[in-house]
Amino acid sequence: MEPEPSAESSAEPSAVAENAGVGRRKLLAYLVAAPTLTVAVRVGADAWAPEAAAATPQATAEGAAPAALPDLLPDLGDVLILAAAPTSHLLTLELDEDGTARFGLPRAEVGQGLTTAVAMLIADELDLPLDKVRVRLDDARPELLFNQLTGSSNSIRALHRPVRAAAAAARARLVATAARQWGVDAADLTTRDGAVHASDGRTLGYGALAKSAAAPRTTEAPDVTLKAAGDQQVVGRPTNRIDARAIVTGRKEYALDLDVPGAKPAMVRRPPTVNGTVAQVHNAADVRAMPGVLDVVEIPTGVAVVAETFGQALAGKEALRVDWGAGTVDELSHDDIKAELRKAAPDFLPPLLVQHIDAEYDFAPVSHAPLETNSAVADVRDDRATVWTAAQSPIAARAAVAKAIGLPASRVDFHVVQAGGSFGRRLFFDAAVEAAQVSKAAGRPVRLMWSRVDDMRHGRMRPPTHHKLRVTHTRDKPLSLQHRVASVETDTGHGIGDALTAGLTELPAGNETFAQTMFRLSMRSPYDLGATAQTLTELPLKLHTGSWRSVYSGTARAAEEMFLDEVAEKLGADPVEFRRARLKNEAQRKVLDTAAADWGRELPEGVAQGVGFHEEYKSRVAFLVELDARDPKAPRVTRAVIAVDVGRAVNPRGVEAQMLGGLTDGIATALRAGLHFDKGLPLEGSYSQFHYARQKDSPQDVTVHVVESDAEPGGVGELGVPAAVAAIGNAYARATGTRARSFPILFDVDFEPFPR
Amino acid sequence: MPAQTFTVNGEQVTVDAPDDLPLLWVLRDLLGIRGPKYGCGIDVCKACTSHLDGEAVNPCAVPVSEAAGREVTTIEGLADGEKLHPVQEAWLEQDVAQCGYCQPGQIMAAVALLKRTKNPTDEEIDAIANVCRCGTYFRIREAIKSAADRMS
Ligand code: FES
Ligand code: FES
């Protein structure tokens, strides 16, 4: 089932051995025929990361009780890694004659710092200064199958080994080439700062070697050994973003900053309810005559106005008079959804002969609201099309664009641009599809942008959820945990489903639905609470949902962490002690102890601490927050201590940034940010209505401890949210004496909604 | 269409644009100055923050006619050639940016604040309403304090 290597290969590829404290394993690399040194990596699925290799039914079955060997259980990331494995050999690293290394990254950069981390991996293994490494985002490459999807905090987990293998193979080839030129033994040569050095003082820069090191035909790369953790110079060192200077000087280009010749601004007038349709446009001619307006065209999702400037496109779209057809959920409002969800999560039966504690939690939908609204540039011609946009799932996006404009996918060039934020939003490619449709209809290239109002109302949202929780217990000890989650269906029609299905062919899925499989793979209790059963019921409502910085854990694990505080209290235990006694291993206890070092310190009345813990993506984190709720209408997190263990942290500074992001998301979604769905459309259409946290909501005192570890790198991006939300919910309960059941806690409609 | 003349980043420009066209679109779409970002268009998110005669404004809510004869500074005009403004330096030192989209506006807001007051208090920093959806607020705060030190 493994595809052929990308280029002709005459021999069995040979092995790159790794020696990083996790044993030797095979990594396959090729030297690819090219004008300058080019290396491609191939990693056999059998030689993959130990967790993933163990994530087969056999291995799991042999793995004794799951509780004793939690790391052997596959999670969502493992399955995506398995799906990606057969095509990883297509990742290539090129060395230019000017001594720079270029790597095409089959992932999205959305602010999570991936390009920096990957550049660090290459710089380290290649002994090349970091500023000589260029990481570009790959165009959609359909041959990558499932290996071009950014999600589940999976990128470093999936890519760190092949990326390092490519760099190591390139370095070895450079050394061998220099040895040949000098007529010396390669073993006597060293590399440093982008050059090969001989003991007699001779040096050759990589750039000068790039041509002679090129392979005349594609062959296997000789065996090499990856650096041991202790020899790494760049990996593990807190490092600033490689694109920071471009950002602070305003030179960083997002989709709408690109100079695509002739591409004109376009905006879409959208229906008054989600998924509504265009029935009739009354004044297209009048709007076409407005200043700067170039065209008015109908597309399936609305009516687009193309103009000289976005200001004029916006004025044009607002002047349109349109009759609309019904949407998919026109009658639905917030309270109906909440009630339906409560019904959907099955009630617990009264237990026999055993004490129990029950609790319920609700979470409102939350907009992704990346600061860069949904946008794309498209240039559609008769026989071909080009699209530029931020995309986490470019292969599926390209196919969707092709279908929408009636071209074969092979005629669509799909360029991935860095995103101005995502949080899961750029898994969907509606802007790209619309831009292509408008470009085709208007017969000119366009830069299509969603207004903020549309981005919040017609964009994606984290599905609202309801949670029923029960612990059964003896006088002082939990015996079982049950958690029944009801969620509006999470739309995964963006490729993650295909990737998961591919990865799952060898995993037991039984009769589960796809969503239940995903739920099972991403939900796991880090505690020993006796028999634990977490289940998901989905409500098939046609809202625009999507995963939001995790698929389920942002709400489900947050609910469990808050429930745990309730249980501890009822059993007369301290919440930190209660957790500590039930965590399963030292690594978990270490982050909890580090974060909670001054748990219980003296605070004024109305100010309180709260903790939350979460483990996922082979990483673990604990948050301690202090919340000032002396004015219960204006609670503020005043301090946070975060301890995080992500295994070997490629860039601790980037890990810290992601924890700060998780903290801010926690503050926003626990306290004030949510959407009110009202008769088919969210009421919120602005950051003045959807109250995402601002500086005034953010603590002035934050400490992040990144725990040192040589374990396999785990995931980072989505890790912080559940623990942050829970810590804030728990602090709020302790500060006010009232446990919040519904989130966000402060959720009034305190604004006049925009007209539809 | 009226001709609008003003200065951008030290250069005089003249563009044909209706008086009521927001300055943001004159900058981005007619002049190709794309550092100021759109995030809402209604003076809420502050992603477009730039300076008009040295004071922070939100060009999405400023009609171009109001800029006539005045001096507009965008993020592109902040550095002196290759030499960065101390606030930009502080932003690099603190590695503030994540996706980076809000940061031109954040930096321009911070520069304006430091112009008004040399040593801003936490309360004054809290009053900066620029949204950062990636949640970089803590590093922004640290960077402003560091910039204040650099500039004193
Ligand atoms: S775009 Fe100007 S304030 Fe939001
Ligand atoms: S860095 Fe992404 S919005 Fe601020």
Side-chain angles (χ1 to χ4, degrees):
Chain A
M1 112 166 211
E2 292 184 359
E4 290 297 304
S6 58
E8 160 218 357
S9 163
S10 59
E12 275 300 294
S14 64
V16 177
E18 184 181 18
N19 189 2
V22 284
R24 287 169 64 88
R25 58 173 69 88
K26 279 192 305 176
L27 294 162
L28 309 175
Y30 295 90
L31 298 165
V32 178
T36 59
L37 175 59
T38 303
V39 177
V41 265
R42 167 175 186 172
V43 182
D46 56 333
W48 203 256
E51 293 91 339
T56 58
Q58 297 86 336
T60 314
E62 284 164 17
L69 283 170
D71 281 354
L72 285 185
L73 288 170
D75 71 2
L76 203 53
D78 284 331
V79 177
L80 291 174
I81 290 168
L82 282 176
T87 57
S88 291
H89 67 289
L90 298 175
L91 308 181
T92 55
L93 179 72
E94 303 151 86
L95 199 81
D96 285 358
E97 282 182 89
D98 64 0
T100 52
R102 293 174 196 282
F103 180 75
L105 180 64
R107 288 291 188 282
E109 169 66 57
V110 296
Q112 81 277 46
L114 183 62
T115 49
T116 300
V118 167
M120 289 171 71
L121 290 165
I122 293 168
D124 199 317
E125 208 65 44
L126 195 49
D127 286 330
L128 185 67
L130 185 61
D131 62 6
K132 294 269 190 179
V133 183
R134 305 272 180 277
V135 177
R136 65 168 187 277
L137 305 182
D138 267 342
D139 292 348
R141 294 171 55 193
E143 80 281 7
L144 288 174
L145 302 175
F146 310 112
N147 202 1
Q148 199 174 8
L149 187 112
T150 310
S152 294
S153 298
N154 167 267
S155 297
I156 286 292
R157 290 177 66 191
L159 294 178
H160 76 101
R161 205 177 301 278
V163 165
R164 291 178 64 195
R171 177 183 160 278
R173 176 73 173 182
L174 290 162
V175 170
T177 307
R180 205 178 57 233
Q181 285 188 13
W182 287 332
V184 299
D185 191 343
D188 295 334
L189 301 179
T190 56
T191 51
R192 145 181 108 246
D193 273 345
V196 184
H197 301 265
S199 49
D200 59 11
R202 282 185 291 182
T203 70
L204 263 173
Y206 288 173
L209 288 162
K211 244 176 149 166
S212 39
R217 65 188 180 86
T218 300
T219 61
E220 75 276 19
D223 293 3
V224 292
T225 301
L226 298 188
K227 284 185 181 176
D231 294 333
Q232 291 182 315
Q233 306 279 324
V234 184
V235 169
R237 201 176 64 198
T239 301
N240 288 354
R241 293 278 302 246
I242 55 173
D243 50 358
R245 195 179 167 98
I247 291 170
V248 304
T249 53
R251 276 188 230 123
K252 182 99 204 161
E253 289 185 323
Y254 306 87
L256 297 178
D257 301 332
L258 300 173
D259 261 320
V260 174
K264 295 295 183 188
M267 294 186 82
V268 178
R269 174 72 177 271
R270 294 173 199 281
T273 57
V274 164
N275 293 321
T277 55
V278 184
Q280 202 191 346
V281 185
H282 293 288
N283 60 343
D286 296 347
V287 172
R288 263 195 208 99
M290 287 173 67
V293 172
L294 300 167
D295 210 345
V296 176
V297 299
E298 238 180 82
I299 58 172
T301 43
V303 185
V305 178
V306 186
E308 290 293 347
T309 68
F310 278 108
Q312 291 158 325
L314 181 67
K317 109 174 168 97
E318 277 171 3
L320 281 170
R321 281 189 296 113
V322 186
D323 289 341
W324 302 98
T328 46
V329 281
D330 290 5
E331 296 311 317
L332 213 58
S333 291
H334 188 76
D335 291 339
D336 314 329
I337 300 175
K338 213 166 156 178
E340 293 262 328
L341 284 169
R342 290 176 158 261
K343 259 191 276 159
D347 284 327
F348 293 116
L349 298 173
L352 295 170
L353 306 172
V354 57
Q355 294 178 283
H356 67 284
I357 301 164
D358 289 359
E360 297 189 350
Y361 290 95
D362 292 290
F363 291 88
V366 176
S367 170
H368 291 84
L371 205 56
E372 177 201 21
T373 58
N374 211 11
S375 48
V377 183
D379 182 357
V380 176
R381 307 290 166 102
D382 286 346
D383 58 345
R384 64 178 182 82
T386 315
V387 175
W388 295 259
T389 192
Q392 289 172 255
S393 188
I395 299 172
R398 174 177 179 257
V401 165
K403 190 164 164 236
I405 54 173
L407 283 178
S410 59
R411 307 249 95 202
V412 178
D413 286 332
F414 195 101
H415 303 298
V416 179
V417 188
Q418 184 159 331
S422 173
F423 320 101
R425 178 64 179 92
R426 321 279 181 190
L427 281 163
F428 298 89
F429 28 77
D430 32 9
V433 169
E434 287 183 346
Q437 287 166 332
V438 175
S439 173
K440 181 177 171 164
R444 60 163 83 234
V446 298
R447 303 159 59 215
L448 180 131
M449 180 178 86
W450 286 35
S451 72
R452 172 61 59 197
V453 181
D454 288 349
D455 205 78
M456 278 187 192
R457 288 181 156 177
H458 290 273
R460 295 277 158 177
M461 58 172 88
R462 181 175 80 183
T465 55
H466 173 69
H467 305 259
K468 288 190 171 74
L469 293 131
R470 167 171 290 178
V471 152
T472 60
H473 62 93
T474 61
R475 194 175 51 78
D476 58 355
K477 193 169 161 291
L479 296 172
S480 72
L481 167 72
Q482 292 177 76
H483 182 180
R484 295 177 178 172
V485 181
S487 172
V488 170
E489 195 170 72
T490 305
D491 187 343
T492 51
H494 43 53
I496 201 170
D498 298 337
L500 262 182
T501 312
L504 279 169
T505 50
E506 295 189 298
L507 289 165
N511 292 326
E512 290 179 324
T513 66
F514 167 65
Q516 280 162 340
T517 304
M518 221 162 53
F519 179 79
R520 181 174 52 78
L521 288 168
S522 58
M523 283 291 291
R524 193 153 299 147
S525 173
Y527 306 102
D528 229 329
L529 293 167
T532 298
Q534 298 147 311
T535 58
L536 171 73
T537 309
E538 282 201 313
L539 210 57
L541 298 176
K542 291 291 162 226
L543 307 183
H544 285 155
T545 58
S547 53
W548 191 102
R549 210 167 190 173
S550 85
V551 194
Y552 303 106
S553 5
T555 50
R557 277 287 301 129
E560 286 181 9
E561 285 292 310
M562 291 189 283
F563 181 51
L564 217 61
D565 262 40
E566 295 188 74
V567 172
E569 193 190 321
K570 294 239 163 79
L571 299 184
D574 171 83
V576 173
E577 269 316 304
F578 184 82
R579 283 179 171 80
R580 195 167 200 293
R582 281 160 189 87
L583 285 171
K584 292 173 184 167
N585 59 53
E586 253 337 288
Q588 296 171 328
R589 283 186 284 271
K590 184 164 181 185
V591 301
L592 179 64
D593 290 348
T594 307
D598 64 5
W599 171 250
R601 79 174 179 132
E602 198 71 35
L603 289 168
E605 179 84 22
V607 184
Q609 295 180 319
V611 291
F613 179 91
H614 184 58
E615 182 172 65
E616 199 174 352
Y617 328 104
K618 316 290 178 194
S619 299
R620 51 212 63 79
V621 68
F623 276 65
L624 174 138
V625 302
E626 291 174 4
L627 182 95
D628 182 344
R630 282 174 292 190
D631 175 357
K633 285 277 151 244
R636 178 166 183 180
V637 174
T638 50
R639 177 169 176 254
V641 185
I642 305 164
V644 60
D645 169 6
V646 299
R648 177 95 168 131
V650 176
N651 182 8
R653 202 153 205 210
V655 172
E656 189 188 292
Q658 289 307 297
M659 294 309 114
L660 293 173
L663 171 65
T664 312
D665 280 359
I667 293 169
T669 61
L671 296 179
R672 300 192 71 201
L675 295 179
H676 292 88
F677 204 76
D678 185 69
K679 292 215 164 28
L681 195 74
L683 293 178
E684 284 79 1
S686 160
Y687 290 114
S688 57
Q689 304 171 351
F690 173 72
H691 298 292
Y692 190 77
R694 303 213 193 180
Q695 186 66 270
K696 67 175 172 46
D697 307 304
S698 182
Q700 296 168 7
D701 181 358
V702 185
T703 312
V704 184
H705 301 277
V706 180
V707 172
E708 292 224 10
S709 163
D710 281 338
E712 187 79 9
V716 179
E718 300 162 295
L719 180 68
V721 177
V725 171
I728 295 162
N730 287 334
Y732 183 86
R734 293 162 59 87
T736 62
T738 310
R739 183 150 284 279
R741 298 264 158 226
S742 195
F743 295 85
I745 296 171
L746 302 168
F747 194 36
D748 293 338
V749 180
D750 54 359
F751 54 90
E752 185 58 42
F754 294 113
R756 298 192 171 200
Chain B
M1 219 177 298
Q4 314 282 351
T5 301
F6 52 97
T7 306
V8 186
N9 300 331
E11 244 180 74
Q12 202 183 65
V13 294
T14 301
V15 283
D16 288 333
D19 285 347
D20 60 351
L21 188 64
L23 177 61
L24 179 63
W25 306 117
V26 173
L27 294 170
R28 286 189 54 89
D29 296 341
L30 301 181
L31 296 170
I33 296 169
R34 290 178 175 166
K37 303 291 185 241
Y38 168 90
C40 71
I42 53 167
D43 201 7
V44 164
C45 76
K46 317 288 179 188
C48 62
T49 307
S50 300
H51 294 178
L52 193 57
D53 291 338
E55 274 184 39
V57 294
N58 289 98
C60 68
V62 174
V64 61
S65 54
E66 252 180 54
R70 302 172 72 184
E71 180 133 6
V72 177
T73 310
T74 69
I75 186 74
E76 288 96 333
L78 196 56
D80 179 5
E82 282 306 292
K83 196 176 166 321
L84 298 183
H85 187 281
V87 172
Q88 290 169 310
E89 291 285 2
W91 244 249
L92 293 185
E93 170 202 281
Q94 296 297 321
D95 200 35
V96 175
Q98 290 189 27
C99 82
Y101 195 83
C102 74
Q103 301 298 347
Q106 302 280 7
I107 290 170
M108 294 307 278
V111 170
L113 172 65
L114 288 166
K115 218 178 238 181
R116 288 200 308 277
T117 163
K118 278 194 162 50
N119 267 308
T121 60
D122 274 312
E123 289 63 41
E124 284 168 316
I125 296 174
D126 277 355
I128 296 182
N130 294 50
V131 175
C132 175
R133 177 59 187 84
C134 298
T136 65
Y137 299 115
F138 181 65
R139 287 187 179 177
I140 289 173
R141 185 184 299 277
E142 299 286 292
I144 293 175
K145 290 178 179 171
S146 161
D149 285 349
R150 284 162 190 270
M151 290 164 76
S152 65

